[in-house]
Amino acid sequence: MRAELDGLICSGARRRKQFTYALLEERAARPAMLERDAALFELARRYFTTRGPATVDDFAWWSGLTKADAKRGVEAAAAHLEHESIDGRSYWFPAGERRVRISGLLVHLLPNFDEYFIGLKDRSALAERLKSSGVKPRTTLLVGYFLAVNGQMVGDGGGRLSGERLSSSRSLWFD
């Protein structure tokens, strides 16, 4: 275990029921060393590409960067991103994002700590959408799981294990 913590070895391929180990340098490429500004650019570009639309505050919260460093990263990545101001907040997202056409519904059942939800510091857009639709959620936002349809959270639920039976409950927020 100490050799793993020191970065000398890592888990290798299993051989039937046996665990194996391998030298880390043989299984993983050495990471490229980046200067601070290049690292801020790359982290911001990757964050907003995979989690946008999001705000600078969301990025700072998620990354642990100071707000000043988060802003520097966004400024450096701005050529690769687009932004839109909604209610005085700037939301950043990937430039030229391609819309995927889906025939039918795309449904995801997400755990309550999924990045789709918890990767944002400010989750008020969800509450605003519910409020503007006249929905009063019957839940706090950290329940067992969320139901997302075509990228929009539309419900929640939870489950209970009793003996060998699993029961679940769902609540849709919209009619």
Side-chain angles (χ1 to χ4, degrees), residues 32-108:
M33 298 305 291
L34 300 175
E35 297 294 324
R36 183 168 183 75
D37 286 343
L40 291 172
F41 157 77
E42 189 62 27
L43 188 60
R45 186 189 65 76
R46 289 182 185 195
Y47 174 80
F48 289 101
T49 298
T50 59
R51 290 165 179 82
T55 66
V56 172
D57 286 339
D58 294 329
F59 176 48
W61 178 83
W62 175 86
S63 66
L65 292 171
T66 64
K67 192 166 177 180
D69 278 344
K71 282 181 183 178
R72 275 177 69 185
V74 171
E75 288 167 2
H80 300 271
L81 303 172
E82 293 179 21
H83 75 281
E84 188 171 324
S85 186
I86 302 171
D87 294 332
R89 290 188 182 140
S90 273
Y91 289 87
W92 294 85
F93 48 94
E97 187 174 271
R98 199 176 83 216
R99 300 276 180 216
V100 177
R101 293 191 185 264
I102 301 167
S103 60
L105 296 176
L106 181 61
V107 179
H108 289 98

Side-chain angles (χ1 to χ4, degrees), residues 139-158:
T139 179
T140 64
L141 292 178
L142 294 177
V143 294
Y145 57 82
F146 287 99
L147 181 63
V149 176
N150 292 343
Q152 296 293 315
M153 291 198 194
V154 298
D156 60 49

Side-chain angles (χ1 to χ4, degrees), residues 6-8 23-34:
D6 289 342
L8 298 173
L23 290 172
L24 183 62
E25 65 187 31
E26 292 176 1
R27 298 222 6 139
R30 283 215 178 270
M33 298 305 291
L34 300 175

Side-chain angles (χ1 to χ4, degrees), residues 110-169:
L110 304 171
N112 62 345
F113 289 104
D114 189 87
E115 281 281 325
Y116 188 78
F117 175 70
I118 208 72
L120 304 172
K121 178 180 182 182
D122 179 7
R123 300 173 196 93
S124 63
L126 173 62
E128 287 302 315
R129 180 167 186 266
L130 294 173
K131 186 177 172 183
S132 69
S133 299
V135 174
K136 294 181 181 175
R138 296 177 296 277
T139 179
T140 64
L141 292 178
L142 294 177
V143 294
Y145 57 82
F146 287 99
L147 181 63
V149 176
N150 292 343
Q152 296 293 315
M153 291 198 194
V154 298
D156 60 49
R160 185 184 331 211
L161 186 61
S162 176
E164 293 184 11
R165 289 186 64 109
L166 175 65
S167 63
S168 69
S169 60

